[in-house]
């Protein structure tokens, strides 16, 4: 495979000498794209001002669809599930069961602590009243994203869960998306996509309710819309989830064919997908390049893959796995695959990643669909500070404190002293009221 087929091929040391390419690989956000930012802001403004009418206009302009209704009826969703091929329904129901089991185990729980005798501080997770889930469309249908967004919300006890997904030419999301919405337990489903859907859930329209949090992956415009509605204080989001990405860390014992399969699998998502291999051995890196070159022409979505490889992808090598892990910490990928004999032993060294796959047999495809872990993950380096979607995203925490009479007496003097130091004399008076007379 020609090195020119990828954005960069070479050693980590040589990459660090080419600062512009290094910046392109590491800084994968879309917020510095002026065109994406401006287009998204304009769409959000239209939805905020125009409500349902603007959503119908956007469907005509962007999806080339005349919507008979923004909302998909329960009958249509049920029919989609009934008509679903039995093997696919069985697979989706198995995935749903695993997602439910995993996220029930991850449920946040109430905690109380007695910091001093008579002084109790507690924290309680309360389900959000309404959340919006976005399931992407466009190049394909993604029922797995429906399950990953809706099921944790249901497990967490959210009051109302709505789903937005782009319409197909018939004016509704694909049948498999509607079937997945039934399996997952979505309350309402709307045939709207892109930044317009994010605006509708953030601001509310005549038909679509305003929600407390928006979750789910999407393209650059969806990711930018989520960032903009969060920045304005309108609604909370899960994380800036944009185009997919994979970083593979491999030692010399790894199978180059297996690594190539994983890289190509992620590259088929989108031309903006980023796939990177960092090996501790140039021979392995070059063998992986050859395996990619051999497999690429036979892939049904090879044009998308080729675009992703040439624009945002790299094959790198360093002297040690430690060097690769240092790069991974800086890169902060959505998916990180540890391949080779030393995969298990290096798991604890990984910090900045949306999710880690330990061993080449732990294919990213398994996590995307069936293990029960969530595939809605931070991208663009956001894994430095964000985590993957979980039940914790669907609750807000109520903190409380309980002070007994004896505890109040014990606190009063020291609290008053701090309050007076801050010149908040009424605070001091409120505290001293509970002081035990000497």
């Amino acid at each position: 495979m020609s090195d020119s087929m990828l954005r960069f091929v070479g050693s980590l040391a040589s990459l660090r000498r080419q600062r512009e390419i290094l910046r392109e690989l590491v800084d994968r956000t879309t917020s510095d794209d002026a065109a994406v930012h401006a287009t998204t802001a304009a769409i959000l403004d239209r939805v905020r001002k125009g409500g349902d009418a603007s959503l119908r206009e956007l469907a005509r302009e962007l999806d080339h669809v005349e919507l008979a209704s923004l909302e998909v009826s329960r009958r249509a969703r049920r029919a989609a599930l009934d008509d679903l091929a039995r093997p696919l329904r069985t697979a989706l129901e198995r995935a749903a069961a695993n997602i439910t089991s995993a996220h029930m185990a991850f449920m946040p729980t109430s905690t109380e602590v007695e910091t001093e005798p008579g002084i109790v501080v507690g924290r309680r997770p309360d389900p959000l009243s309404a959340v919006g889930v976005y399931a992407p469309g466009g190049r394909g249908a993604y029922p797995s994203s429906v399950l990953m967004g809706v099921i944790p919300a249901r497990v967490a006890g959210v009051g109302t869960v709505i789903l937005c997904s782009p319409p197909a030419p018939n004016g509704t999301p694909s049948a498999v998306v509607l079937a997945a919405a039934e399996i997952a337990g979505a309350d309402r489903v709307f045939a709207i996509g892109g930044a317009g859907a994010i605006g509708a859930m953030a601001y509310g329209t005549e038909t679509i309710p305003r929600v407390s949090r928006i979750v789910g992956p999407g393209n650059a415009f969806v990711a930018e819309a989520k960032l903009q509605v969060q920045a304005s204080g309108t609604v909370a989001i899960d994380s800036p989830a944009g185009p997919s990405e994979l970083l593979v860390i491999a030692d010399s014992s790894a199978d180059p064919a297996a690594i190539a399969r994983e890289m190509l699998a992620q590259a088929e998502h989108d031309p903006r997908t980023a796939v990177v291999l960092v090996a501790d051995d140039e021979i392995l890196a070059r063998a992986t390049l050859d395996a990619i070159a051999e497999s690429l022409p036979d892939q049904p979505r090879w044009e998308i893959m080729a675009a992703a490889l040439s624009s945002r992808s790299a094959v790198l090598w360093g002297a040690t796995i430690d060097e690769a892990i240092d790069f991974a910490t800086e890169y902060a990928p959505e998916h990180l695959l540890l391949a080779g004999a030393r995969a298990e032993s290096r798991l604890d060294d990984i910090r900045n990643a949306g999710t880690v796959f330990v061993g080449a047999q732990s294919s990213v495809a398994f996590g995307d669909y069936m293990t029960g872990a969530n595939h809605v993950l931070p991208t663009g380096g956001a894994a430095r500070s964000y985590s993957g979607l979980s039940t914790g995203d669907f609750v807000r925490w109520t903190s409380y404190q309980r002070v007994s009479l004896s505890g109040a007496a014990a606190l009063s003097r020291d609290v008053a002293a701090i309050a007076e130091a801050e010149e908040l004399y009424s605070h001091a008076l409120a505290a001293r009221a509970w002081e035990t007379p000497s």
Side-chain angles (χ1 to χ4, degrees), residues 131-330:
V131 301
V133 177
Y134 186 83
R139 290 187 174 84
Y142 299 97
S144 58
S145 290
V146 176
L147 303 183
M148 295 291 179
V150 174
I151 290 174
R154 290 267 77 108
V155 169
V158 171
T160 301
V161 183
I162 71 170
L163 173 72
C164 290
S165 192
N170 67 352
T172 70
S174 71
V176 70
V177 164
L178 298 181
E182 279 298 285
I183 292 171
D187 292 300
R188 301 176 71 184
V189 178
F190 299 95
I192 56 171
I198 304 304
M201 292 188 282
Y203 307 126
T205 71
E206 299 91 330
T207 301
I208 300 170
R210 181 175 180 174
V211 301
S212 301
R213 185 181 291 271
I214 298 171
V215 305
N219 63 18
F221 295 97
V222 169
E224 177 63 22
K226 288 170 67 178
L227 289 172
Q228 289 190 22
V229 295
Q230 176 184 243
S232 67
T234 305
V235 68
I237 66 171
D238 49 350
S239 66
S244 188
E245 43 190 59
L246 167 67
L247 176 67
V248 181
I249 294 178
D251 65 46
S252 58
S253 67
D255 178 5
I259 298 170
R261 285 196 301 270
E262 293 296 325
M263 294 178 72
L264 289 173
Q266 287 304 305
E268 75 174 335
H269 273 293
D270 187 283
R272 294 176 62 86
T273 296
V275 291
V276 176
L277 165 65
V278 188
D280 67 350
D281 177 67
E282 182 178 353
I283 294 174
L284 172 64
R286 294 286 182 187
T288 302
L289 281 171
D290 291 340
I292 292 172
E294 182 177 353
S295 298
L296 181 60
D298 298 327
Q299 304 300 318
R301 295 163 69 91
W302 72 269
E303 291 178 316
I304 292 172
M305 294 174 171
L309 292 171
S310 64
S311 64
R312 311 190 80 201
S313 302
V315 167
L316 309 168
W317 56 85
T320 65
I321 288 295
D322 286 335
E323 193 176 351
I325 289 173
D326 288 344
F327 178 81
T329 302
E330 181 181 6

Side-chain angles (χ1 to χ4, degrees), residues 348-426:
D348 289 347
D349 298 323
I350 303 300
R351 288 292 179 267
N352 298 346
T355 189
V356 183
F357 299 83
V358 185
Q361 75 284 353
S362 302
S363 173
V364 178
F366 295 150
D368 280 346
Y369 297 118
M370 195 62 68
T371 63
N374 209 292
H375 80 197
V376 180
L377 302 163
T379 64
R384 299 181 194 101
S385 52
Y386 285 90
S387 304
L389 192 67
S390 73
T391 45
D393 289 287
F394 298 102
V395 302
R396 62 161 305 281
W397 291 91
T398 297
S399 62
Y400 57 90
Q401 45 233 286
R402 187 183 302 113
V403 181
S404 67
L405 286 172
S406 60
L411 289 175
S412 61
R413 185 172 300 174
D414 284 345
V415 169
I418 296 171
E420 288 167 353
E422 296 183 353
E423 299 184 357
L424 296 175
Y425 300 109
S426 292

